[in-house]
Amino acid sequence: DAGVIQSPRHEVTEMGQEVTLRCKLISGHNSLFWYRQTMMRGLELLIYFNNNVPIDDSGMPEDRFSAKMPNASFSTLKIQPSEPRDSAVYFCASSLSTKGELFFGEGSRLTVL
Amino acid sequence: TQLLEQSPQFLSIQEGENLTVYCNSSSVFSSLQWYRQEPGEGPVLLVTVVTGGEVKKLKRLTFQFGDARKDSSLHITAAQPGDTGLYLCAQRNTGGFKTIFGAGTRLFVKA
């Protein structure tokens, strides 16, 4: 079975550009999490959804960040406009809400110049 | 939000040595998870501990949950280069889905 699929794996962009990161959940999972990982701050929870509904977005840094789940199997994280301090690895993870285990994708490494 | 503190931050040892890493909080955990993350990949769940005093073993890895459920440890016996990675503890909030991670212990096992 396919795991969580993220794209792109790597993105290099210039400050001010829009960035869209994509995530496909594991079939049957109903919870979706977006995390950001840096050496300085570790793995930070940005936002999570349950049954397509955003439950907690308190970790979203600023209004420049937005996340959507247009359907039960797909999510996007958008940064507009991007800034150098947004450079990080962005992970998507999915789970069954009744279970505790998170299944992570391989991450999207974002570099904003 | 409960803060998870992990120690040490970094550990470099020789193959065959034993080691212990720790995860602590000032508050009580409802349950606690340990994940391992290898370079270029996402974290992968190793174990979940729920009951105070619980001990779980996974081959050469032994996980312990403190009696008061405020701390946990991971002990690795006879470490191997394949154990190299970032070890993260995580807590899931009671009745919810939110999972918060500690900063991790970065382990390097030299052959």
Side-chain angles (χ1 to χ4, degrees):
Chain A
D1 287 341
V4 173
I5 300 172
Q6 291 189 244
S7 64
R9 288 295 313 276
H10 302 272
E11 174 138 356
V12 181
T13 190
E14 292 187 343
M15 182 173 63
Q17 296 298 305
E18 178 178 295
V19 173
T20 300
L21 307 178
R22 298 173 176 79
C23 174
K24 184 176 187 301
L25 284 68
I26 292 173
S27 178
H29 283 190
N30 61 346
S31 293
L32 181 282
F33 303 76
W34 281 103
Y35 287 88
R36 176 173 69 177
Q37 187 174 39
T38 61
M39 288 295 291
M40 291 296 294
R41 300 175 68 90
L43 200 58
E44 302 175 278
L45 177 63
L46 301 177
I47 185 171
Y48 69 99
F49 296 79
N50 190 55
N51 294 324
N52 301 5
V53 176
I55 303 300
D56 186 342
D57 66 354
S58 59
M60 296 286 262
E62 301 171 27
D63 291 345
R64 298 183 297 106
F65 285 68
S66 63
K68 293 182 180 179
M69 275 198 78
N71 58 58
S73 61
F74 183 74
S75 177
T76 59
L77 178 67
K78 187 173 294 187
I79 308 172
Q80 166 63 20
S82 59
E83 297 182 3
R85 59 188 167 134
D86 301 331
S87 298
V89 181
Y90 290 80
F91 285 101
C92 169
S94 72
S95 75
L96 280 170
S97 58
T98 54
K99 306 289 184 183
E101 181 176 3
L102 297 185
F103 292 82
F104 283 81
E106 293 183 310
S108 295
R109 181 176 293 277
L110 173 65
T111 302
V112 183
L113 303 174
Chain B
T1 301
Q2 182 164 308
L3 188 64
L4 304 178
E5 295 184 354
Q6 291 192 245
S7 61
Q9 288 183 316
F10 181 80
L11 191 56
S12 180
I13 62 171
Q14 289 292 141
E15 181 177 5
E17 292 184 7
N18 301 330
L19 67 115
T20 302
V21 299
Y22 302 91
C23 177
N24 296 282
S25 173
S26 56
S27 303
V28 174
F29 295 115
S30 55
S31 66
L32 187 129
Q33 299 173 320
W34 284 94
Y35 285 77
R36 179 170 65 205
Q37 183 179 17
E38 298 185 15
E41 299 182 7
V44 175
L45 181 68
L46 296 174
V47 77
T48 300
V49 286
V50 178
T51 306
E54 183 175 4
V55 177
K56 284 191 174 179
K57 292 194 174 184
L58 186 65
K59 297 183 181 179
R60 294 177 293 100
L61 279 59
T62 301
F63 303 85
Q64 187 157 4
F65 203 13
D67 290 341
R69 294 189 292 135
K70 296 172 71 172
D71 58 272
S72 180
S73 63
L74 160 57
H75 181 81
I76 301 178
T77 302
Q80 299 176 2
D83 296 326
T84 292
L86 179 66
Y87 288 82
L88 296 157
C89 66
Q91 189 229 4
R92 192 181 192 214
N93 67 330
T94 303
F97 322 104
K98 187 172 184 175
T99 301
I100 303 298
F101 286 82
T105 293
R106 196 168 296 277
L107 172 66
F108 182 67
V109 182
K110 294 175 282 189

